[in-house]
Amino acid sequence: MALRPCKVIVVGGGVAGLAIALMLEKHGIDYLLLEAYSDIVATVGAGIALSPNGLRILDQLGCYEDILSHSASVDQMHARKPGGEVIWGMEAGLEEGATKRHGYPWVWMDRKSLLEVLYDHIADKSKLLTGKRLVSVTHTETGDVVVTADGSTYAGDIVVGTDGTHSAVRKEIAKRAEEMDLGEDYAEQNKVAASYSCLFGMSDSVPGFPSRCLEFVANEGFSYVLGTGPNDRVYWFIVNKLDQIYYGADIPRFTDEDKEKILQDHMNDQITPDIRLSDLYSRALTTSCTPMAEFVYKNWHLGRMITIGDACHKVLPITAQGGNQAIESAAAVVNGLARALSQDSSLGPLSESEIKSMFDQVQDLRFARMTQIVKQTNQRQQMEAMETPELKHFLLNVYAGLMPGAMWSRWEDWFAAGVSLKRLAIPTRPRTVLFLDEIAPVEANL
């Protein structure tokens, strides 16, 4: 079937950008991806955990087997006290349990490896342009024109911002809103709050550290999330409570000196009874540190522009849903676009009213889910950091008695409502807990 004409400009690489690029290619929708930096596959970043809701979409895109070859599936999990002693744990069986229930395990991998898999599966690499930092987006009656710092211009029917927390596309949306006297509706940046920071690390194998694991270490005022990937590489995240809640432009930017101070403050932390942070740091390959904003914007789009991923919803790392939810949002946009473009090709390009309707459906579908996930993740982080005496008591004395039932129930809630690509086949992988769109497909689920 001939599609209506459409050119998508994707601004930003990363997981969301490369994922939506591959989705567009699979659907035969024309696009260009503009990446600000010189490399599409960035070397920055540590590890990423992929859960069944994200892996199902990646399986539809033909990436699953390659992901398995570059990752390690999680088979054991432990919740630990400040001294590293186990509160509750599974020594084995997590991979089998997750796969039996949801069709897919959890996996850990280098973020760079995930980018490489996505990049390798994109057939036409000429659509991926580097050194293209967005400067402005100009609205015209027939489309939007993107201008980059090198003076290049690119015209498109829609612009998708996958350019992260400090999204240039989001800034262009806010600017356009001001021109349309809608500024207050889009002035959300200064309401964004950050009450935690995260120090990301990646280390070579550490003797004695559990293999194929997911580890949580609770402490008062901070906590750890850790996992092991291929060759027992250790990914670690220290989430610290900031000295206050910061908003918008007041959210600090950390320097290397700030990072080093945090590292030194935690160097003697026990991860397990036999392993300290210093043991991980002595084998560290990369470290970085940043405040962690938490938000779900109320308005993701305006005119022909829309944002997805960290550009419009940002979640703490403790539930590992940042990347998975970015993939879901990308799928929702492509579902809506594919459906709109599959109408009678003689209708010509999408009108602004059609684009608005499509974007509204994407946001309606995704907003409630993201709001719930951000809220529940924050609650989980508060518990892990034992922020009140009640939470400390619950974690140390009640939590273990609820496991593993509470874990399976929470995962079922998170995964079941996941988005899939409606026009691509879902590979047959047996599971006892079906996704909602497999039980009763709903047209509104884009």
Side-chain angles (χ1 to χ4, degrees):
M1 180 185 296
L3 297 177
R4 297 170 66 180
C6 183
K7 181 68 165 285
V8 180
I9 306 297
V10 180
V11 179
V15 173
L18 289 178
I20 200 169
L22 181 55
M23 292 175 196
L24 291 167
E25 183 175 82
K26 292 285 187 181
H27 286 76
I29 300 171
D30 192 19
Y31 79 95
L32 279 177
L33 184 148
L34 309 179
E35 167 57 44
Y37 293 102
S38 58
D39 294 317
I40 287 288
V41 178
T43 57
V44 297
I48 186 169
L50 295 172
S51 55
N53 53 315
L55 287 172
R56 183 173 67 140
I57 299 171
L58 294 169
D59 199 6
Q60 289 184 280
L61 294 170
C63 297
Y64 183 54
E65 300 301 331
D66 279 350
I67 285 171
L68 289 184
S69 70
H70 289 83
S71 66
S73 56
V74 176
D75 197 46
Q76 59 177 313
M77 181 172 74
H78 303 97
R80 298 178 182 274
K81 299 178 183 179
E85 301 90 353
V86 173
I87 300 171
W88 174 85
M90 290 181 67
E91 300 300 325
L94 194 63
E95 177 187 22
E96 180 182 0
T99 304
K100 181 179 179 181
R101 287 171 176 265
H102 304 290
Y104 302 93
W106 284 81
V107 301
W108 278 104
M109 65 193 303
D110 288 12
R111 183 178 181 275
K112 182 183 178 184
S113 295
L114 175 57
L115 296 177
E116 287 174 339
V117 169
L118 291 168
Y119 176 81
D120 288 345
H121 278 262
I122 295 171
D124 187 355
K125 305 295 195 295
S126 70
K127 299 288 187 181
L128 311 175
L129 307 183
T130 57
K132 301 293 182 181
R133 184 176 297 279
L134 185 146
V135 172
S136 67
V137 179
T138 302
H139 177 75
T140 73
E141 291 185 4
T142 57
D144 280 0
V145 177
V146 173
V147 179
T148 56
D150 63 357
S152 302
T153 60
Y154 303 93
D157 294 279
I158 69 171
V159 177
V160 182
T162 59
D163 48 345
T165 307
H166 304 288
S167 169
V169 174
R170 178 69 195 184
K171 293 183 173 92
E172 291 299 309
I173 288 176
K175 186 190 303 181
R176 174 87 173 129
E178 287 285 349
E179 295 169 356
M180 300 172 64
D181 293 325
L182 297 172
E184 286 199 15
D185 293 339
Y186 288 82
E188 301 183 71
Q189 187 77 18
N190 289 330
K191 300 175 185 176
V192 169
S195 53
Y196 298 95
S197 68
C198 184
L199 198 152
F200 305 79
M202 181 168 67
S203 301
D204 273 334
S205 174
V206 175
F209 196 85
S211 297
R212 300 176 60 198
C213 71
L214 178 58
E215 306 286 312
F216 301 95
V217 185
N219 281 276
E220 294 192 48
F222 66 97
S223 69
Y224 283 80
V225 184
L226 309 97
T228 38
N231 302 312
D232 285 339
R233 177 167 288 179
V234 183
Y235 310 110
W236 42 281
F237 307 78
I238 311 173
V239 182
N240 268 296
K241 185 76 172 177
L242 293 171
D243 58 351
Q244 66 178 74
I245 300 176
Y246 292 91
Y247 294 91
D250 293 330
I251 297 175
R253 299 285 186 98
F254 286 175
T255 64
D256 287 342
E257 289 75 18
D258 295 325
K259 181 184 74 172
E260 289 304 317
K261 183 180 186 308
I262 293 171
L263 281 168
Q264 292 307 315
D265 288 345
H266 289 279
M267 203 60 73
N268 290 320
D269 291 349
Q270 295 289 155
I271 307 302
T272 73
D274 302 316
I275 296 172
R276 298 185 180 187
L277 177 63
S278 57
D279 298 312
L280 301 181
Y281 186 64
S282 67
R283 295 169 176 260
L285 301 170
T286 64
T287 57
S288 60
C289 190
T290 183
M292 294 296 295
E294 300 171 74
F295 59 87
V296 181
Y297 283 141
K298 292 181 180 178
N299 293 292
W300 297 13
H301 65 90
L302 182 63
R304 297 175 178 274
M305 296 180 284
I306 189 169
T307 52
I308 62 172
D310 286 356
C312 66
H313 49 72
K314 181 76 172 177
V315 60
L316 293 172
I318 195 168
T319 55
Q321 283 302 299
N324 292 286
Q325 292 305 317
I327 293 168
E328 281 197 31
S329 289
V333 170
V334 173
N335 284 339
L337 187 57
R339 185 169 62 178
L341 296 179
S342 65
Q343 299 172 17
D344 187 350
S345 60
S346 66
L347 293 173
L350 296 173
S351 67
E352 283 206 35
S353 62
E354 288 178 299
I355 292 170
K356 181 182 184 304
S357 176
M358 178 189 68
F359 286 169
D360 281 342
Q361 290 181 61
V362 171
Q363 183 174 319
D364 289 346
L365 170 67
R366 297 291 297 142
F367 180 82
R369 178 159 165 77
M370 281 312 312
T371 300
Q372 178 188 42
I373 287 173
V374 169
K375 179 181 178 181
Q376 291 176 340
T377 299
N378 180 275
Q379 291 171 342
R380 172 69 186 275
Q381 180 57 52
Q382 288 188 48
M383 181 185 76
E384 294 285 332
M386 300 188 291
E387 292 193 13
T388 67
E390 294 78 13
L391 288 172
K392 180 178 181 180
H393 172 78
F394 177 84
L395 181 65
L396 297 179
N397 301 289
V398 180
Y399 178 73
L402 302 176
M403 301 298 279
M407 176 190 74
W408 295 125
S409 177
R410 175 60 57 87
W411 287 2
E412 183 173 336
D413 288 344
W414 281 349
F415 304 154
V419 178
S420 64
L421 289 160
K422 300 302 175 188
R423 294 172 186 269
L424 296 183
I426 297 176
T428 301
R429 299 194 184 274
R431 44 182 161 264
T432 59
V433 180
L434 296 180
F435 290 82
L436 296 183
D437 60 8
E438 296 172 319
I439 300 170
V442 178
E443 185 66 19
N445 191 7
L446 289 184

